[in-house]
């Protein structure tokens, strides 16, 4: 957008400060910078383009309303990711109340396809996606943030507001669960 | 699968998240532990599998939607907060002025009540004689204008 031209060289932190001072165009630059990352994260967590769009929109709106609460201890990227992950968690809590939450573990176990089939690569992608979705929210979050978004342990700790050691142990357990569900691919 | 005591640290090693001394110690261990070496290979295959999953690009219209949502948000800025404080202060000032004006009006109304009317509704002493005399005296004084009333 042309109105944000003067902000393009600013750091995220400078943009947050300007947005807090009333310059909403600075926040629009943050939207341009981080929308792709947040959309990929939201999609990886919920598996649906429309829901992912809704959640990213809510996350940006929430961040804009909560600009005053940003303390600058974490990076703007991890602050936005934290808002989004909470948004997704809220979405799934209400979805579970409507009996439509995460894919049950049994369902994921049934999705294991043979790695030797003609469509093995496509089957594997489908099965891996189903296996990730079958994890509990805590394990799904760390796997997505680490494996798909490439965040460091420190960044994941900031996003999820948990100690670094907890990130390490959750990742270990989440990978163990995925290995078990995807053993036909992993052990080959 | 026989579990090795080092298995838990392999996940962090795979991510390059171990401290330097821990990394060196684990690499020494890996040289003599085929179970952990196999587990490390499985972790690498799992990461490849996960990263091979396809993820759609963000729809082109989504960005515009995010921007419009921000434009619709109320602007919570320092200027906005100052405006709110000014409005609250002005409201308090108006309210206080109205209260003060009402109080002064009520005081003026009280001053116009003749003294004998006030005394007439005051509690009487048990005998009643002295009070009646006092009341009669006040009525006479009021009627003759000695108490300064019309």
């Amino acid at each position: 957008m042309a109105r944000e031209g003067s902000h393009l060289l600013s750091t995220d932190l400078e943009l947050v400060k300007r947005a807090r001072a009333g310059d909403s165009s600075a926040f629009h630059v943050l939207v341009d910078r981080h929308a792709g990352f947040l959309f990929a994260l939201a999609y990886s967590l919920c598996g649906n383009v429309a829901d992912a769009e809704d959640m990213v929109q809510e996350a940006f709106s929430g961040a804009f309303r909560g600009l005053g609460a940003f303390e600058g201890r974490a990076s703007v990227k991890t602050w936005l990711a934290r808002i989004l992950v909470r948004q997704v968690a809220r979405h799934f809590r209400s979805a579970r109340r409507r009996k439509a939450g995460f894919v049950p573990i049994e369902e994921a176990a049934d999705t294991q396809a043979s790695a030797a089939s003609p469509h093995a690569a496509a089957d594997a992608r489908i099965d891996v996606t189903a296996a990730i979705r079958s994890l509990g929210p805590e394990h799904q979050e760390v796997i997505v943030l680490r494996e798909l978004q490439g965040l460091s342990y420190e960044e994941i700790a900031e996003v999820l507001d948990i100690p670094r050691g907890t990130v390490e142990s959750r990742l270990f357990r989440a990978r163990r669960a995925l290995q078990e569900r995807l053993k036909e691919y992993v052990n080959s | 699968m026989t579990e090795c005591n080092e298995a838990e640290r392999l996940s962090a090693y795979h991510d390059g998240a171990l401290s330097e001394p821990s990394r060196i110690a684990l690499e020494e261990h890996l040289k003599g532990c085929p179970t952990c070496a196999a587990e490390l290979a499985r972790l690498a295959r799992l990461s490849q599998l996960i990263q091979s999953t396809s993820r759609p690009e963000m729809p082109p219209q989504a960005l515009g939607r995010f921007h419009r949502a921000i434009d619709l948000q109320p602007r919570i800025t320092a200027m906005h907060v100052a405006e709110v404080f000014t409005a609250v202060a002005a409201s308090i000032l108006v309210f206080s002025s109205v209260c003060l004006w009402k109080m002064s009006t009520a005081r003026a109304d009280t001053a116009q009540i003749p003294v004998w009317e006030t005394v007439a509704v005051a509690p009487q002493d048990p005998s009643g004689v002295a009070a009646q005399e006092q009341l009669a005296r006040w009525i006479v004084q009021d009627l003759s204008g000695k108490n300064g009333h019309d």
Side-chain angles (χ1 to χ4, degrees):
Chain A
M1 288 188 176
R3 60 182 163 171
E4 287 97 34
S6 61
H7 295 307
L8 291 177
L9 297 176
S10 304
T11 65
D12 284 357
L13 205 55
E14 287 167 347
L15 291 170
V16 166
K17 283 178 185 165
R18 286 179 200 168
R20 283 165 75 156
D23 179 1
S24 61
S25 69
F27 195 85
H28 284 284
V29 179
L30 289 173
V31 172
D32 286 334
R33 278 187 194 171
H34 298 291
F37 163 75
L38 290 182
F39 177 81
L41 176 57
Y43 179 82
S44 299
L45 289 171
C46 71
N48 176 296
V49 171
D51 284 349
E53 261 190 68
D54 288 347
M55 284 179 230
V56 173
Q57 181 181 319
E58 275 305 307
F60 276 131
S61 300
F64 186 74
R65 288 192 300 269
L67 274 170
F70 178 67
E71 295 169 342
R73 284 184 299 183
S75 71
V76 173
K77 180 181 168 184
T78 53
W79 173 60
L80 291 171
R82 182 193 290 205
I83 294 169
L84 178 77
V85 168
R86 286 179 181 170
Q87 186 68 32
V88 174
R90 265 198 300 276
H91 170 81
F92 278 117
R93 269 199 299 275
S94 56
R96 272 201 296 275
R97 279 197 288 273
R98 297 194 304 268
K99 307 271 185 198
F102 287 92
V103 178
I105 289 170
E106 312 83 67
E107 195 179 319
D110 294 340
T111 62
Q112 289 181 352
S114 165
S117 76
H119 306 291
D123 288 345
R125 282 198 291 272
I126 293 166
D127 292 344
V128 171
T129 303
I132 293 172
R133 297 268 148 66
S134 75
L135 297 172
E138 290 181 346
H139 288 171
Q140 191 179 336
E141 286 164 0
V142 290
I143 284 291
V144 166
L145 289 168
R146 176 63 207 159
E147 296 281 10
L148 295 175
Q149 302 302 119
L151 267 59
S152 69
Y153 281 29
E154 287 74 18
E155 287 173 320
I156 297 171
E158 277 178 12
V159 170
L160 300 179
D161 201 17
I162 54 176
R164 188 189 183 283
T166 307
V167 174
E168 196 171 321
S169 58
R170 276 189 195 173
L171 264 171
F172 168 72
R173 288 197 295 272
R175 283 172 167 152
R176 270 292 158 91
L178 283 177
Q179 278 181 7
E180 181 58 31
R181 285 162 208 184
L182 297 167
K183 56 188 168 195
E184 290 188 38
Y185 302 108
V186 175
N187 294 337
S188 59
Chain B
M1 181 172 26
T2 311
E3 184 83 350
C4 177
N5 290 336
E6 298 292 338
E8 193 162 342
R9 289 203 298 161
L10 286 171
S11 173
Y13 175 78
H14 168 72
D15 290 322
L18 285 182
S19 65
E20 189 69 3
S22 298
R23 183 184 63 78
I24 292 167
L26 191 65
E27 283 175 352
E28 279 302 309
H29 170 78
L30 280 168
K31 287 175 189 168
C33 181
T35 307
C36 281
E39 172 69 6
L40 193 59
R42 280 193 292 274
L43 283 172
R45 278 198 292 277
L46 179 66
S47 287
Q48 278 178 347
L49 265 177
I50 294 171
Q51 285 157 23
S52 73
T53 54
S54 56
R55 285 175 291 166
E57 289 291 310
M58 186 172 71
Q61 75 279 4
L63 196 57
R65 186 183 156 191
F66 303 154
H67 284 296
R68 283 194 296 280
I70 296 304
D71 286 334
L72 291 173
Q73 293 297 312
R75 296 181 64 186
I76 308 297
T77 63
M79 196 172 287
H80 181 252
V81 170
E83 284 169 6
V84 170
F85 273 116
T86 307
V88 170
S91 303
I92 291 170
L93 190 64
V94 169
F95 179 75
S96 304
S97 303
V98 169
C99 286
L100 282 171
W101 176 74
K102 281 193 171 177
M103 281 169 66
S104 63
T105 307
R107 213 174 284 136
D109 289 346
T110 308
Q112 287 172 0
I113 298 171
V115 177
W116 67 269
E117 285 184 18
T118 312
V119 174
V121 295
Q124 309 264 321
D125 70 350
S127 67
V129 178
Q132 283 173 5
E133 282 179 11
Q134 183 66 32
L135 176 61
R137 215 171 288 132
W138 279 110
I139 292 171
V140 170
Q141 284 174 351
D142 271 330
L143 291 174
S144 59
K146 285 181 182 173
N147 278 339
H149 300 294
D150 294 333

